[in-house]
Each structure stands twice: as C-alpha cells, then as structure tokens.
Amino acid sequence: MRKLRIIGIGAGNPEHLTLQAVRALEQVEAVFVLDKGEVKADLLRLRREICERFITRPFHFVEAQDPERDRNPQDYAAAVEAWHTARAILYETLIDRELGEGGCGAILVWGDPALYDSTLRIVDRIVARGRLALDYDVIPGISSVQALAASHRIALNRIGGPVHITTGRAIADGLPPDAESIVVMLDGDPRFDHLDPELTIYWGAYLGTPNEIVLSGRLGSIASEIRHVRAEARSRHGWIMDTYLLRKPDGR
C-alpha cells in the first residue's frame, strides 16, 4: 500500500514547519505539486526550497498543471465539486505512476490542511474511488490566521470570547450579528463600504514571507489605504494571499 503524507507547511516562512512536519518529510520519496502557472511561481519555488532543505533522502518533485477552475460560476458549489473531482483524478494518476507499492509521498499544503483547503476532501475522493490502495495521515501546520495574529502581536479573541472564521464571499451582505471577532480568508476583492466604519481591522498579506505587509486601525480610516496597498502589491507580485481580522468595538 502506498502512503501519502498531507503536510501543513505554514503561511510562507520555511521555519513555520513543525518538528513533526520535518520528520515526516524525511520519509518522503515523492512530492506532488499542482502548478498554478507563472503568476504563482513564488509558491512553487518555496515548496522546492522546503523540500531541498528538509528532505535528506533522494526524492523527486512531481509537477502537473492544476485543472482549470471557473472563478465566476453561476453555481459555485457545482463548480467547486467539478474542480475537486478533476484534481482527485489527476492526483490519483500521478501517485499511481510516480509512487511504487510501499512508497511514501507527500502533498505540501499552505497553512493548515484543516482550514479552507481542499486537499483532504480530494484525497478522500481518491480513497473512495477504490482504484488505488492508499493510506494517508495529516500533519498540522501554522495557518495564516495564526501568522496574522503573531505579526500584529494580538490575541484573536477577547477574554473568553469566540472567534468566527469565514470567507470574503460569506460577508458580502454583512457580518454575523453575534460575532465580535471575525477572521476573513479567501477574499479576492475586499470591499469594506458595507461594514461598520468603527470596526478595527488587522490586515496582513504575504504573511511569514520577506514580502509581508501588515496594516491595522479603524476600518473607516484605513480601508482605502488597505485597498490601495493591496492592489499595488498584487500588481507587483502577480498574486496576493491576505487575511484580516475584524473586531467590533466594545459593547457593540
């Protein structure tokens, strides 16, 4: 049976890897990567750097083009379902071709595999298809949420309070009424005009990397600066990964 290790590699800093992740990499003989094109070449380069730094045995880097995904679908759930299926078939083909019986491979996941990442669902599909005898485990990683809090030197929650983690799509019509600390991920085009200007925002992009940018302040005062800085950084690098925390004023 082949073994697959799903390894969280942190938000961008190779030193975010845990000791457990480093030990897992030492067993790996093949690393499977879906290439997202020239625009995100930095992400591929960092994966290579991590492998070359921590894998001490001979290994091979297996790259394939990521299946196309409709970014503006009429039916979002159906589009994601089709994309996950295409990815599962591709990974299954690569693992079957590149990893022998009893071999150990890895998929390196940005942040933590359990938080807004599709890899675990895709591997579950491979197993459910039953065409490949595959065992796998999951190595947790430092997420962009943790990296954001560390860079701003803040606690995510108020004393005894909850933290709501969601997406940009989910707050398009406003924030959850009872949430006081809201972390927003996967926001491709942050727009803040519909939100309370008295919110405090802690924003960060390229967290953990040499290109890290962090800004914070009253949302009504800093929203336009965040949008400007974000657009300029995206134009310069060709891509951007950012996360932010919104916090309601005391008593709101």
Side-chain angles (χ1 to χ4, degrees):
M1 180 177 289
R2 297 167 174 87
K3 176 70 175 285
L4 190 64
R5 315 211 72 174
I6 315 301
I7 303 175
I9 59 172
N13 185 342
E15 295 189 0
H16 281 173
L17 266 71
T18 64
L19 292 177
Q20 184 185 18
V22 171
R23 286 196 297 269
L25 283 170
E26 291 173 348
Q27 303 173 16
V28 167
E29 61 194 70
V31 176
F32 300 96
V33 178
L34 296 187
D35 186 358
K36 297 179 181 295
E38 186 62 31
V39 170
K40 293 189 176 180
D42 287 350
L43 308 184
L44 184 61
R45 176 193 54 75
L46 180 58
R47 280 188 172 93
R48 284 189 177 278
E49 179 183 337
I50 286 170
C51 291
E52 290 166 0
R53 180 171 174 178
F54 295 113
I55 300 179
T56 56
R57 60 184 293 175
F59 76 97
H60 53 293
F61 208 72
V62 183
E63 297 178 47
Q65 188 65 41
D66 198 10
E68 290 292 329
R69 174 186 174 187
D70 185 353
R71 294 290 176 176
N72 297 290
Q74 290 187 332
D75 187 334
Y76 177 76
V80 171
E81 180 81 9
W83 183 50
H84 285 180
T85 298
R87 277 186 149 194
I89 293 171
L90 177 56
Y91 270 129
E92 181 184 272
T93 301
L94 295 174
I95 293 167
D96 186 39
R97 186 183 71 204
E98 302 288 344
L99 199 63
E101 287 296 329
C104 181
I107 298 176
L108 308 186
V109 176
W110 289 105
D112 184 272
L115 185 60
Y116 286 113
D117 184 83
S118 63
T119 304
L120 294 179
R121 294 184 180 91
I122 290 165
V123 174
D124 281 341
R125 286 171 185 261
I126 296 171
V127 173
R129 283 165 58 85
R131 291 173 171 83
L132 199 65
L134 185 67
D135 184 26
Y136 69 95
D137 63 358
V138 180
I139 312 300
I142 293 175
S143 70
S144 62
V145 178
Q146 295 161 280
L148 177 75
S151 289
H152 280 287
R153 299 180 296 178
I154 58 170
L156 288 171
N157 61 293
R158 289 200 171 109
I159 297 175
V163 177
H164 186 94
I165 301 178
T166 187
T167 66
R169 183 184 294 270
I171 66 164
D173 296 322
L175 301 180
D178 298 327
E180 60 180 25
S181 299
I182 305 99
V183 175
V184 183
M185 305 176 68
L186 304 178
D187 194 347
D189 185 19
R191 297 184 179 277
F192 306 114
D193 295 346
H194 64 300
L195 300 177
D196 182 354
E198 297 305 318
L199 290 165
T200 298
I201 185 170
Y202 299 91
W203 176 84
Y206 312 106
L207 291 160
T209 77
N211 298 318
E212 178 175 287
I213 311 168
V214 291
L215 293 168
S216 64
R218 175 181 172 273
L219 184 61
S221 302
I222 202 171
S224 60
E225 181 182 356
I226 289 173
R227 284 183 56 82
H228 172 77
V229 168
R230 186 183 191 279
E232 193 277 330
R234 183 170 191 169
S235 176
R236 183 170 67 253
H237 297 291
W239 63 280
I240 191 166
M241 293 172 64
D242 58 338
T243 304
Y244 55 93
L245 168 69
L246 296 170
R247 179 160 287 156
K248 294 181 179 179
D250 289 332
R252 297 288 286 275

